[in-house]
């Protein structure tokens, strides 16, 4: 081994120790607290990113946080609809969900995507349990209400008992965004919405949305205009001023809604960055946009 090699190893080890040391106050602060992670986007499609997200979730669990994962699965739904010869249709950004599409959505989200995430977490040394809204009446659905979109739902009620039971016994709940209404009819619900409602019902420490954007940008074409921190009032203003637009509106609105119901902080972070979750939770800088509830901004 050359002098340079041993110097490099020493520096690498020093970096690792510094990082662990920097993480300590955060680990102490958040131990025993619930963190709801909405998992989707590129981090779900790219296998190396997927591996890192899974490891991060297991890491959170190992250092005493209580992670709860909520996932969608749009691309996989589209590929199965294609295999079955069903044309995907969208209206105002929402998937038009007729009875045949709803069957596929439920099979793919609950049967395939959910179980894949559960298996990956278990392989990485966690203890994951897969659920959808129907399990233990975790959440119930009502129609979203727009004309002509079929079985697209909103969350009408959340019953956190099963999540509490699992999380307090060291399990990592993995939740897919399918639920039934009071008649038993299945509905497809936006996964961001489900994550926000679950975080609110649990009084979570954090709601974290893994997205394919850097966070909230003052100018969406310029990555350097990332807004690292805002409070609820400022977030609402950014929507009103049109700075938050398009697909970011539902994400920011979902964060604002959960903060208004008592979640301490919501984060919109870039899931394309390896280990985005650990960077956001356990480092001083963080990487995305953190939105704080007004009572926690001081």
């Amino acid at each position: 081994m050359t002098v340079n090699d041993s110097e490099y190893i020493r520096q690498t080890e020093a970096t690792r120790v510094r990082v662990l040391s920097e993480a300590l106050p955060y680990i102490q602060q958040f131990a025993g607290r619930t963190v709801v992670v909405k998992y989707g986007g590129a981090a779900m499609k790219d296998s190396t990113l997927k591996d890192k997200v899974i490891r991060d979730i297991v890491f959170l669990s190992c250092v005493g946080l209580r992670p709860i994962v909520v996932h969608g699965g749009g691309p996989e739904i589209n590929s199965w609809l294609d295999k079955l010869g069903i044309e995907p249709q969208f209206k105002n950004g929402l998937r038009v969900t007729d009875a045949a599409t709803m069957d596929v959505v439920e099979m793919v989200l609950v049967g395939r995507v959910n179980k894949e995430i559960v298996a990956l977490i278990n392989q990485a040394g966690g203890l994951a349990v897969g659920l959808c809204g129907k399990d233990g009446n975790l959440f119930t659905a009502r129609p979203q209400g727009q004309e002509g979109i079929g079985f697209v739902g909103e969350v009408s009620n959340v019953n956190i008992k099963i999540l509490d039971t699992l999380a307090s016994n060291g399990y990592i709940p993995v939740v897919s965004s399918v639920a039934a209404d009071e008649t038993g009819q299945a509905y497809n619900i936006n996964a961001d919405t489900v994550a926000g409602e679950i975080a609110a019902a649990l009084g979570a420490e954090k709601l974290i949305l893994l997205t394919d954007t850097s966070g909230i940008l003052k100018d969406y074409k310029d990555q350097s205009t990332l807004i690292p921190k805002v409070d609820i009032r400022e977030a609402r203003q950014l929507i009103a001023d049109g700075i938050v637009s398009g697909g970011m509106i539902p994400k920011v609105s979902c964060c604002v809604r959960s903060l208004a119901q008592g979640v301490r902080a919501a984060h919109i972070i870039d899931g394309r960055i390896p280990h985005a979750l650990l960077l956001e939770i356990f480092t001083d800088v963080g990487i995305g946009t953190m939105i704080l509830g007004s009572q926690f901004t001081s």
Side-chain angles (χ1 to χ4, degrees):
M1 192 188 291
T2 68
V3 174
N4 280 349
D5 283 346
S6 60
E7 177 60 22
Y8 172 74
I9 288 169
R10 217 169 52 84
Q11 284 180 348
T12 310
E13 295 302 321
T15 303
R16 184 174 297 158
V17 169
R18 196 186 73 245
V19 168
L20 281 171
S21 171
E22 189 178 309
L24 178 64
Y26 296 101
I27 293 172
Q28 289 170 319
Q29 186 185 345
F30 302 137
R33 304 284 176 82
T34 300
V35 176
V36 177
V37 177
K38 153 60 190 344
Y39 177 39
M44 216 170 181
K45 297 193 281 277
D46 174 324
S47 56
T48 54
L49 285 174
K50 186 186 283 188
D51 178 55
K52 291 181 170 61
V53 171
I54 299 296
R55 285 178 62 112
D56 288 1
I57 289 162
V58 173
F59 185 97
L60 295 180
S61 180
C62 282
V63 298
L65 282 77
R66 293 164 52 158
I68 288 166
V69 181
V70 177
H71 68 87
E76 181 130 7
I77 292 169
N78 288 345
S79 81
W80 278 92
L81 287 171
D82 188 45
K83 285 178 195 177
L84 296 165
I86 301 169
E87 186 72 38
Q89 288 176 298
F90 291 87
K91 185 173 179 179
N92 305 331
L94 294 167
R95 182 187 296 281
V96 177
T97 310
D98 58 13
T101 303
M102 188 59 230
D103 279 349
V104 176
V105 167
E106 186 162 7
M107 286 192 292
V108 172
L109 287 187
V110 182
R112 276 188 63 83
V113 179
N114 185 275
K115 290 300 168 269
E116 184 199 1
I117 297 168
V118 165
L120 288 170
I121 290 174
N122 292 345
Q123 276 171 323
L127 274 175
V129 176
L131 303 163
C132 72
K134 295 177 176 182
D135 293 297
N137 278 338
L138 172 51
F139 53 99
T140 46
R142 57 181 160 75
Q144 195 259 2
Q146 264 191 54
E147 199 55 43
I149 54 168
F151 301 113
V152 174
E154 286 287 342
V155 175
S156 69
N157 187 43
V158 180
N159 173 2
I160 58 170
K161 215 164 166 183
I162 190 167
L163 291 182
D164 265 341
T165 305
L166 289 167
S168 59
N169 283 288
Y171 291 98
I172 301 171
V174 178
V175 181
S176 65
S177 57
V178 170
D181 65 11
E182 64 282 1
T183 70
Q185 170 61 50
Y187 280 83
N188 181 20
I189 305 178
N190 176 288
D192 291 333
T193 305
V194 170
E197 294 298 323
I198 285 177
L202 286 163
E205 178 73 27
K206 293 182 179 298
L207 164 67
I208 301 176
L209 305 182
L210 283 174
T211 66
D212 290 349
T213 60
S214 310
I216 301 175
L217 304 170
K218 278 204 183 85
D219 171 2
Y220 75 95
K221 295 192 203 77
D222 181 355
Q223 297 295 317
S224 70
T225 62
L226 176 73
I227 305 173
K229 195 182 277 189
V230 291
D231 63 21
I232 284 194
R233 194 181 46 78
E234 292 163 336
R236 288 188 173 125
Q237 196 55 51
L238 289 170
I239 295 175
D241 295 345
I243 290 167
V244 168
S245 60
M248 278 302 265
I249 295 174
K251 290 191 188 300
V252 175
S253 304
C254 149
C255 291
V256 167
R257 248 197 338 268
S258 69
L259 293 165
Q261 296 178 72
V263 172
R264 292 177 73 90
H267 305 252
I268 296 174
I269 67 173
D270 193 340
R272 298 167 302 184
I273 296 174
H275 296 299
L277 275 176
L278 299 188
L279 284 165
E280 182 63 16
I281 298 175
F282 294 126
T283 66
D284 295 338
V285 227
I287 55 160
T289 298
M290 174 157 78
I291 309 173
L292 288 164
S294 43
Q295 68 275 41
F296 302 112
T297 45
S298 55

